[in-house]
Amino acid sequence: MSRSLKAHILLVFITFAWGSTFVLVKNALAEVSPLVFNTLRMVIAAVALVVIFHRALGKITRKSAQAGAIVGIFLFLGYAFQTTGLRLTTPSKSAFITGLAVVLVPIIVAVSGRRLPNRWTLVGVLFALIGLYLMTIPSGEGFSLASINRGDLLTLGCAASFAMHIFAIGRATERHPFEHISIMQVATAAVLMALIIPVETPKFSWSTPAMSAILFTALICTAAAFSIQSWAQQFTPPTHTALIFALEPVFAAMTSYVLLGERLGVRGTIGAILILSGILVSELRGSALEADRIPQVGTPSN
């Protein structure tokens, strides 16, 4: 088996893991408050990453630590918004709204380069926004913040935060070893999560669902997933990786249906299809057009 094929298989595996955990975390949040859950998840993941990359610890510089901390701030915001919002919305809706991060990244890249997004990216964003409207605004109601489920609004903040995280980690790993960024971002997120626990009413249970969710998300979806992604992207084009990640809400909807019997309904299904279509259009056509615009020098590291 070639390294490229292994990389694709592993990326699908971690995408499935991420998608399936929406149900797992939703169930755990009945017994553990969001910030306590995320703090434990990040602390365990940070310890695991230190064990995995212990040889890199002594080589972390002040600049790489700062870069990792900046990435960690966006990681912290993403998970804080997502887990808090998940208590108030469904796993499928949370996953599809979180998937908007893939569409927002090209917008952030375009703005940072002080240029307009290409037409396919704009088409993808339009599809995604219409889909978001159908999924979050109840039928018969006009658009207003009052008509949006509070959990959906928090999850939208999560999508924006993860989009900034993807952008920031891309910049950081261009200049610093991925091991340094992996350790520092998770450690930073763990510290920030712990610091803001007092803003909620902390709750924790040693129950099997709660502990299973914490350990699975910490070891598989955080520590292992970040390590696998960093290795796999050496052998897969960025567009392929983004398209694989776009499957996350699909996996979430599948597991929600199987485990919870959750159905999106006709309106929600159309919205989900539009969001996924927007992601695919933005990544397949938009990213390809951007690649044609940018001169290629040497061999891309990804």
Side-chain angles (χ1 to χ4, degrees), residues 236-259:
T236 56
T239 303
H240 287 196
T241 303
L243 287 173
I244 291 171
F245 286 172
L247 291 171
E248 181 181 350
V250 177
F251 288 140
M254 290 168 56
T255 53
S256 294
Y257 176 78
V258 172
L259 299 178

Side-chain angles (χ1 to χ4, degrees), residues 1 4-22 41 215-232 236 240-241 243-252 255:
M1 184 184 297
S4 176
L5 180 57
K6 286 181 182 178
H8 280 77
I9 292 173
L10 287 171
L11 286 172
V12 171
F13 167 74
I14 63 173
T15 303
F16 175 77
W18 284 333
S20 64
T21 55
F22 282 89
R41 170 183 182 169
L215 290 174
F216 185 81
T217 55
L219 298 177
I220 304 300
C221 298
T222 305
F226 286 160
S227 301
I228 289 171
Q229 182 183 354
S230 299
W231 175 83
T236 56
H240 287 196
T241 303
L243 287 173
I244 291 171
F245 286 172
L247 291 171
E248 181 181 350
V250 177
F251 288 140
T255 53

Side-chain angles (χ1 to χ4, degrees), residues 29-298:
L29 291 176
E31 303 179 54
V32 183
S33 54
L35 297 179
V36 171
F37 180 93
N38 278 322
T39 298
L40 293 173
R41 170 183 182 169
M42 292 299 168
V43 168
I44 295 171
V47 171
L49 286 171
V50 167
V51 172
I52 294 170
F53 299 128
H54 64 277
R55 293 182 181 177
L57 283 177
K59 299 177 182 178
I60 295 179
T61 64
R62 181 172 61 86
K63 289 185 177 180
S64 63
Q66 289 176 342
I70 291 172
V71 174
I73 290 172
F74 292 118
L75 183 67
F76 151 73
L77 289 172
Y79 279 120
F81 280 129
Q82 185 185 63
T83 310
T84 304
L86 187 55
R87 294 182 71 182
L88 306 171
T89 190
T90 65
S92 292
K93 287 175 71 176
S94 178
F96 277 101
I97 296 171
T98 300
L100 287 173
V102 180
V103 176
L104 294 175
V105 170
I107 302 294
I108 295 171
V109 172
V111 171
S112 68
R114 297 184 178 179
R115 66 178 187 274
L116 291 174
N118 66 70
R119 63 183 181 277
W120 287 111
T121 296
L122 292 175
V123 169
V125 170
L126 179 61
F127 278 13
L129 288 176
I130 295 173
L132 180 63
Y133 177 88
L134 292 176
M135 289 196 74
T136 58
I137 307 297
S139 180
E141 294 188 18
F143 178 80
S144 69
L145 290 181
S147 65
I148 301 177
N149 179 302
R150 183 164 168 255
D152 297 336
L153 194 59
L154 287 168
T155 309
L156 192 57
C158 150
S161 299
F162 278 139
M164 285 300 302
H165 174 261
I166 293 169
F167 176 74
I169 201 171
R171 289 288 183 89
T173 51
E174 286 177 357
R175 300 173 175 85
H176 308 285
F178 78 87
E179 298 95 336
H180 298 181
I181 303 302
S182 296
I183 293 171
M184 287 305 304
Q185 68 167 322
V186 176
T188 299
V191 171
L192 293 175
M193 287 292 183
L195 289 176
I196 67 167
I197 283 179
V199 306
E200 69 177 10
T201 302
K203 182 172 68 172
F204 176 73
S205 169
W206 286 98
S207 67
T208 299
M211 293 308 302
S212 297
I214 290 170
L215 290 174
F216 185 81
T217 55
L219 298 177
I220 304 300
C221 298
T222 305
F226 286 160
S227 301
I228 289 171
Q229 182 183 354
S230 299
W231 175 83
Q233 285 197 234
Q234 299 176 84
F235 313 109
T236 56
T239 303
H240 287 196
T241 303
L243 287 173
I244 291 171
F245 286 172
L247 291 171
E248 181 181 350
V250 177
F251 288 140
M254 290 168 56
T255 53
S256 294
Y257 176 78
V258 172
L259 299 178
L260 300 180
E262 178 191 328
R263 291 170 175 80
L264 291 174
V266 175
R267 182 185 174 93
T269 299
I270 293 173
I273 291 172
L274 283 171
I275 289 177
L276 190 59
S277 297
I279 292 170
L280 295 177
V281 167
S282 177
E283 287 304 314
L284 273 176
R285 302 304 301 270
S287 295
L289 189 57
E290 286 298 325
D292 290 339
R293 287 180 178 179
I294 302 172
Q296 300 297 314
V297 180

